[in-house]
Amino acid sequence: MTDDENRVAGLVLAAGGGRRLGGRPKALLPHRGRLLVEHAAEVLRAGGCAGVHVVLGARAEEVRARAALPGCALVDNPDWEQGMGTSLRAGLDALAGTDARAALVLLVDQPGIGPEAVTRVRRAYRSPRSLVSAAYGGVRGHPVLFGAAHWAGIAATATGDRGARAYLKEHADAVELVECGDVAEAYDIDTEADLAHLE
């Protein structure tokens, strides 16, 4: 691993309130004997991310109290109810104060994405100008890697639940797609029916 690769930080977006799950924050859902937020942080670490930042919002104090997140930097997003875009901004703001050259972003509610997909996306990092996305059957998905040169532009366009979608669309020619459909499943835990995916 090059020194630069060592500076790809992991960023878990875990602030959502689980509106369609009856107000159960996704970070606190159990999966394989631990909380989803713990699972996501470990996936980034196992995938080779240098440090992991976790953005909290809904019931942040409870997540802090219950979740075992050793070595993770916890970032509070007071505006979490306005959507995922605010969490992405909060996370990138926190990383701007570190020596990270890129942020590898994973959503807390996608437990079908494991370290293999994270490793593939991380290994596609070339410079702070890198934009890399996992793809499933050629369709862009998560995780996504944002080189530091893009953070300000992403933060400026991240609104509501759209996160970086507008920025990635605008810079589609620059996005390197890394196929991950053979090692990961990109389903979301959004509704009661989706809870069947949890183990």
Side-chain angles (χ1 to χ4, degrees):
M1 195 186 292
T2 67
D3 181 51
D4 245 14
E5 270 188 302
N6 269 328
R7 297 192 188 167
V8 175
L11 180 60
V12 180
L13 302 187
R19 198 169 50 244
R20 286 179 284 173
L21 287 168
R24 279 179 289 173
K26 296 174 184 180
L28 293 169
L29 293 174
H31 179 58
R32 295 182 183 169
R34 54 186 169 178
L35 302 179
L36 267 190
V37 68
E38 295 168 340
H39 175 79
E42 182 51 38
V43 164
L44 287 173
R45 196 173 279 122
C49 290
V52 177
H53 280 58
V54 181
V55 181
L56 303 178
R59 297 194 359 220
E61 288 310 312
E62 186 179 346
V63 177
R64 284 174 182 273
R66 290 180 53 196
L69 296 166
C72 292
L74 305 184
V75 180
D76 284 311
N77 173 17
D79 301 317
W80 64 269
E81 288 180 89
Q82 294 172 30
M84 185 175 64
T86 62
S87 291
L88 183 56
R89 283 205 306 271
L92 293 178
D93 281 351
L95 285 174
T98 72
D99 64 356
R101 302 280 176 85
L104 202 156
V105 180
L106 184 65
L107 306 182
V108 76
D109 67 345
Q110 294 192 320
I113 296 172
E116 300 87 351
V118 169
T119 299
R120 282 189 191 177
V121 172
R122 181 181 55 77
R123 284 186 175 153
Y125 169 83
R126 298 288 173 264
S127 80
R129 299 212 58 76
S130 291
L131 276 178
V132 186
S133 175
Y136 300 87
V139 178
R140 186 170 56 73
H142 283 89
V144 185
L145 182 147
F146 303 125
H150 298 281
W151 293 354
I154 290 167
T157 59
T159 55
D161 274 324
R162 286 191 296 281
R165 197 177 304 160
Y167 189 88
L168 290 172
K169 197 171 175 184
E170 194 180 316
H171 296 81
D173 292 350
V175 179
E176 179 179 349
L177 295 181
V178 177
E179 184 58 45
C180 292
D182 58 324
V183 295
E185 293 180 83
Y187 56 79
D188 298 327
I189 307 297
D190 277 337
T191 66
E192 293 285 340
D194 296 332
L195 295 174
H197 286 296
L198 299 178
E199 297 167 20

